[in-house]
Amino acid sequence: MKKLLLLLSLVIVAGCTRAQDTVDTKNIQKIPPFKILRQDSTWFSAANLKKNKPVMIIYFSPDCSHCQHLMYDMKSHMKELKNVQIVLVTFTEASMLKMIQDFYKTFDLKKYPNITVGTEGHTYVVQRYYQVRMTPFIAIYGHDGKLVKAYAKAPAMPELVKVAKGA
């Protein structure tokens, strides 16, 4: 009986782990109608995105080690991503804007005018739109505003750069 229970537990854990790797893309074909409060206390929305340029939306948490690792890896590829609008969206409360400001400073994101960082606060529009279960979640849209690829967890940097540059 114990062996059967152990086997069932392993199957459930494996199934749950695998489920988080895939993204149902049929309902996320367009950029979500987000509005975020940026680290400088100004508002930024989907309407502020430049037309005919690829967009990478990263749903993250400032204190997430995977998100921080993604940013460290991404920094060495920023020249390759300079034509991609990168929007980092978090759910951190606006009252905790300091966390976002610290994240912005830690990764010296002011150097990259193509990166926007902000919080959607309690609206959870982006989180619900993508049905984010863990961070970082990444969605890449082409110059036409249509989804190219979405990742439930960060892929290897060469793949991410290749997909973003081709968007």
Side-chain angles (χ1 to χ4, degrees), residues 16-25 130-131 133-134 137 150-153:
C16 289
T17 303
R18 186 68 191 137
Q20 291 178 347
D21 289 350
T22 60
V23 178
D24 181 7
T25 60
Y130 292 119
Q131 298 180 0
R133 305 264 187 273
M134 59 188 200
F137 175 93
Y151 301 93
K153 62 181 186 177

Side-chain angles (χ1 to χ4, degrees), residues 32-92:
F34 68 86
K35 182 177 181 183
I36 59 174
L37 180 63
R38 295 192 293 191
Q39 82 288 342
D40 63 0
S41 298
T42 61
W43 291 97
F44 185 86
S45 71
N48 297 114
L49 292 169
K50 295 176 181 145
K51 304 292 183 218
N52 299 315
K53 288 193 88 170
V55 175
M56 180 187 305
I57 296 178
I58 303 173
Y59 201 81
F60 81 108
S61 178
D63 58 352
C64 162
S65 63
H66 295 290
C67 301
Q68 293 167 1
H69 184 74
L70 173 69
M71 292 309 299
Y72 281 119
D73 288 349
M74 193 180 284
K75 279 186 76 168
S76 62
H77 295 275
M78 288 310 296
K79 283 185 182 177
E80 297 170 273
L81 296 170
K82 69 180 177 186
N83 293 320
V84 178
Q85 299 174 87
I86 301 171
V87 182
L88 291 144
V89 181
T90 187
F91 53 87
T92 303

Side-chain angles (χ1 to χ4, degrees), residues 71 88 103-105 107-113 115 117:
M71 292 309 299
L88 291 144
F103 185 88
Y104 190 82
K105 287 178 187 171
F107 294 101
D108 203 17
L109 299 179
K110 70 179 176 234
K111 283 184 176 178
Y112 311 106
I115 296 181
V117 182

